Amino acid sequence: MVSTCCRNNILEVFALSMLLVFSSLLVIASADFYQDFDITWGDGRGKILEGGQLLTLSLDKASGSGFQSKHEYLFGRIDMEIKLVAGNSAGTVTAYYLSSQGPTHDEIDFEFLGNLSGDPYTLHTNVFSQGKGNREQQFHLWFDPTTAFHTYSLVWNPRRIIFLVDNIPIRVFNNLESNGVSFPSNQPMRIYSSLWNADDWATRGGLVKTDWTKAPFTASYRNFKASACIWSPNSSSSSCSSKSTASAQDGNSWMNQELDAPGRNRIRWVQSNFMVYNYCTDFKRFPQGLPLECRRSRFL
């Protein structure tokens, strides 16, 4: 039998070897939405403005809209400033996430569930691996996300996924493949965002419907940054790995990023004061026992 220590070492070697095979370079991109993204649907409801520095998505009764990144990534740090739909946003969902394709896809989600004016947005997070999700955590934010831009970040490396809001960690999902828990470690993912109507479930379980007299609803994006490995199926370049090592000296140490003591204090503050749902405490949902990762990781 292989020891846990050895399995962990084998796992790290495998993840880094996948990085060498499938990733071509470390890219640091700043907001030029023309360069980095394509509007993929919405029949003109998605717009790139201000010379590529601003992107907006709109939703009306006929359709929502969405965009996706031109590149696929295999590990990285992704930052985006977003200002959400203001006013009565009940029934609307602004989704911002990483995803691969296919029935066994991987996915890392931010979803912002709208609400009546004056009530807080619900920030819904989830992690899919090999087509399996059901790892939801939900939060209310400590600010109004509709009055100004705020930064929503995903750190994804071979050891963990960290969700951050204005650089404050709110959730960590650790790689526990050695314990039989699947983890997004070998499927490249694109960045996606969409604004769409989900009034059958988004607000109070579908009890509050979208008020179309308030349409169009609009979300705005700016200052996209990616310090990440661009996936290339035909490349065996090791430049991503070498630059990832060097990036620690430049303050871009996402490849090995974990929570330090201040980060642990911040995530405790968020989860104690603003978490409104955690699948790892939902015993009614899992009467046969909580998922394995809930018993193995302190922060999920």
Side-chain angles (χ1 to χ4, degrees):
M1 181 178 293
V2 180
S3 70
T4 299
C5 176
C6 292
R7 285 198 303 269
N8 289 338
N9 289 338
I10 291 170
L11 173 64
E12 291 187 7
V13 169
F14 172 77
L16 290 174
S17 66
M18 291 296 297
L19 192 63
L20 294 179
V21 171
F22 291 115
S23 303
S24 61
L25 65 134
L26 182 74
V27 60
I28 300 176
S30 59
D32 182 346
F33 286 106
Y34 286 116
Q35 174 181 311
D36 298 314
F37 292 93
D38 293 314
I39 305 291
T40 50
W41 63 283
D43 194 23
R45 292 172 179 82
K47 293 180 169 57
I48 298 175
L49 306 167
E50 297 181 7
Q53 301 302 298
L54 179 71
L55 189 152
T56 62
L57 296 180
S58 292
L59 164 70
D60 57 33
K61 197 168 186 178
S63 178
S65 50
F67 64 85
Q68 70 179 40
S69 62
K70 295 180 184 291
H71 294 298
E72 293 177 287
Y73 303 95
L74 186 62
F75 304 125
R77 174 171 176 143
I78 308 297
D79 301 277
M80 184 79 79
E81 291 187 14
I82 306 174
K83 183 164 65 174
L84 297 175
V85 175
N88 182 358
S89 57
T92 71
V93 174
T94 306
Y96 163 58
Y97 58 104
L98 294 171
S99 183
S100 61
Q101 298 297 309
T104 59
H105 75 290
D106 295 340
E107 186 171 317
I108 308 169
D109 291 340
F110 279 116
E111 289 187 305
F112 303 91
L113 313 184
N115 220 325
L116 295 171
S117 298
D119 289 341
Y121 262 80
T122 298
L123 171 52
H124 177 101
T125 68
N126 205 351
V127 176
F128 286 75
S129 181
Q130 297 296 310
K132 178 186 176 183
N134 300 322
R135 297 175 174 129
E136 302 92 344
Q137 286 187 353
Q138 295 182 340
F139 305 83
H140 288 159
L141 296 168
W142 49 94
F143 52 84
D144 183 346
T146 72
T147 59
F149 285 91
H150 292 268
T151 304
Y152 303 92
S153 307
L154 292 170
V155 172
W156 171 37
N157 64 42
R159 296 173 180 84
R160 62 191 55 85
I161 297 163
I162 307 174
F163 297 74
L164 303 106
V165 177
D166 288 338
N167 213 36
I168 295 173
I170 65 169
R171 178 179 184 176
V172 175
F173 187 84
N174 289 307
N175 186 338
L176 296 172
E177 286 183 306
S178 60
N179 297 112
V181 179
S182 61
F183 183 85
S185 59
N186 56 23
Q187 296 190 72
M189 296 195 273
R190 293 187 192 274
I191 304 164
Y192 295 88
S193 191
S194 58
L195 175 56
W196 51 291
N197 178 46
D199 66 3
D200 57 335
W201 66 270
T203 306
R204 295 181 59 197
L207 294 177
V208 182
K209 302 300 182 182
T210 304
D211 182 356
W212 294 111
T213 66
K214 307 298 184 184
F217 305 98
T218 301
S220 302
Y221 304 75
R222 71 180 188 188
N223 288 344
F224 162 71
K225 296 179 182 178
S227 179
C229 299
I230 294 178
W231 180 75
S232 175
N234 300 315
S235 174
S236 59
S237 169
S238 62
S239 60
C240 185
S241 179
S242 63
K243 289 190 179 181
S244 297
T245 302
S247 69
Q249 301 172 0
D250 301 327
N252 296 319
S253 54
W254 56 265
M255 181 57 78
N256 299 301
Q257 187 168 340
E258 58 184 344
L259 295 186
D260 56 11
R264 291 192 293 273
N265 288 334
R266 292 187 186 103
I267 199 171
R268 289 189 193 100
W269 173 73
V270 171
Q271 296 193 352
S272 296
N273 293 284
F274 301 101
M275 179 182 282
V276 294
Y277 177 79
N278 182 4
Y279 79 110
C280 279
T281 61
D282 193 342
F283 293 95
K284 290 183 179 179
R285 182 179 178 184
F286 303 106
Q288 304 305 314
L290 295 173
L292 180 60
E293 68 267 19
C294 298
R295 291 168 271 158
R296 295 283 184 177
S297 285
R298 185 172 183 183
F299 298 113
L300 282 161

